[in-house]
Amino acid sequence: VSTQSTWGKCNGNRASLKDLCLVFEGPPINPDSVEVVIFPPSVYLDHTRAHLRKDWHVGLQNCWIGKGGAFTGEVAAEMIADTAADWVILGHSERRHLPELHETDATVATKCAYALTQNLRVILCVGETLDERNAGSTNAVCIRQLSAVALVVKDWTSVVIAYEPVWAIGTGQVATPEQAQEVHAELRKWFAQNVSPEVAEAIRIVYGGSVNGSNCAELAKKNDIDGFLVGGASLKPEFLQIVAAHSQKA
């Protein structure tokens, strides 16, 4: 199953999101071959679910590190599970790298483990900065981030990995299909060697980083690219092209 995911980051309002939902109307998707999840800003979750086509899912862009309580402004996983959402994005590069947030590998791992206990499905983001890529540390960085999660997560059934090179997010730059495939293959190899061959074969690894209607077909042809985590292009009609790109796989 190919996973195509999208989100509005900290953008949009009720009117614009309703219009976007109308743009995304189309023929039903085959749930056996593609799964689409929309991640609106949390305050618009119910509004999005009310207007979004029923064969697409909704999720949130983040959650608190554990059980809810006196944590003003946070959203706990059990609260998300009590809504129409069944997915959450964790470890996004902006949450890892923005100085106001700076989530550590351990924080992301703890969030992931707790969200899974609340029966949420997790898109776990990993990826390197431009300096790390130039230093030849791409695989080491991604594996470090994964290893932190593997310390506390043993069942990967409800986890999708999103490889998102930080240097390609919102910059217009995109990893070549060969660059993306190389990293995806290394991640799958890591799962085979450190978790199990069965998990390595089954887990979905999606690519995120300036994916658009022009480059999605070539990216989708690569063996280890199982879908996309889409940013800016998800706010345009071309997102439907990206959803359909899974058909390019041989």
Side-chain angles (χ1 to χ4, degrees):
V1 178
S2 171
T3 301
Q4 318 291 339
S5 306
T6 177
W7 76 105
K9 300 200 178 189
C10 189
N11 294 307
N13 54 40
R14 290 169 63 89
S16 67
L17 292 176
K18 181 179 178 180
D19 289 344
L20 199 56
C21 288
L22 292 174
V23 168
F24 288 159
E25 288 296 329
I29 60 172
N30 179 356
D32 294 327
S33 63
V34 65
E35 190 168 23
V36 182
V37 190
I38 302 293
F39 294 88
S42 60
V43 293
Y44 297 128
L45 174 67
D46 286 343
H47 179 72
T48 300
R49 179 66 282 173
H51 295 285
L52 185 67
R53 50 189 294 172
K54 303 308 177 189
D55 56 343
W56 290 12
H57 301 271
V58 293
L60 288 189
Q61 301 171 19
N62 181 47
C63 70
W64 174 237
I65 197 168
K67 185 176 175 61
F71 309 111
T72 301
E74 294 294 338
V75 178
E78 59 266 30
M79 298 167 71
I80 299 174
D82 191 42
T83 70
D86 46 11
W87 287 84
V88 63
I89 295 176
L90 297 175
H92 190 275
S93 64
E94 288 158 5
R95 298 201 64 84
R96 291 182 188 268
H97 294 290
L98 283 175
E100 296 86 355
L101 301 171
H102 210 276
E103 291 186 359
T104 65
D105 295 344
T107 296
V108 174
T110 303
K111 285 185 173 190
C112 186
Y114 188 75
L116 292 171
T117 70
Q118 301 305 303
N119 298 316
L120 292 177
R121 302 169 73 186
V122 173
I123 292 184
L124 172 64
C125 301
V126 300
E128 83 284 6
T129 65
L130 183 58
D131 285 345
E132 290 166 338
R133 170 164 280 273
N134 289 339
S137 302
T138 294
N139 293 337
V141 169
C142 294
I143 288 170
R144 186 201 76 216
Q145 294 167 343
L146 277 182
S147 297
V149 178
L151 292 174
V152 292
V153 170
K154 304 307 176 185
D155 184 355
W156 294 83
T157 308
S158 296
V159 180
V160 170
I161 306 300
Y163 167 57
E164 44 156 26
V166 181
W167 48 272
I169 299 171
T171 63
Q173 298 184 68
V174 60
T176 66
E178 292 71 26
Q179 287 175 319
Q181 167 60 26
E182 180 181 5
V183 177
H184 283 229
E186 285 296 322
L187 297 182
R188 206 174 297 280
K189 177 181 175 182
W190 180 88
F191 274 103
Q193 294 176 342
N194 294 276
V195 181
S196 76
E198 292 77 17
V199 169
E201 182 177 354
I203 198 162
R204 287 176 277 175
I205 306 175
V206 304
Y207 172 76
S210 296
V211 177
N212 58 47
S214 299
N215 59 36
C216 60
E218 289 303 311
L219 286 162
K221 291 178 182 178
K222 295 300 181 180
N223 289 340
D224 291 298
I225 298 179
D226 299 317
F228 303 111
L229 185 62
V230 185
S234 71
L235 303 175
K236 304 173 184 177
E238 69 182 289
F239 181 62
L240 290 173
Q241 292 176 247
I242 300 172
V243 171
H246 69 95
S247 63
Q248 299 295 321
K249 273 196 182 297

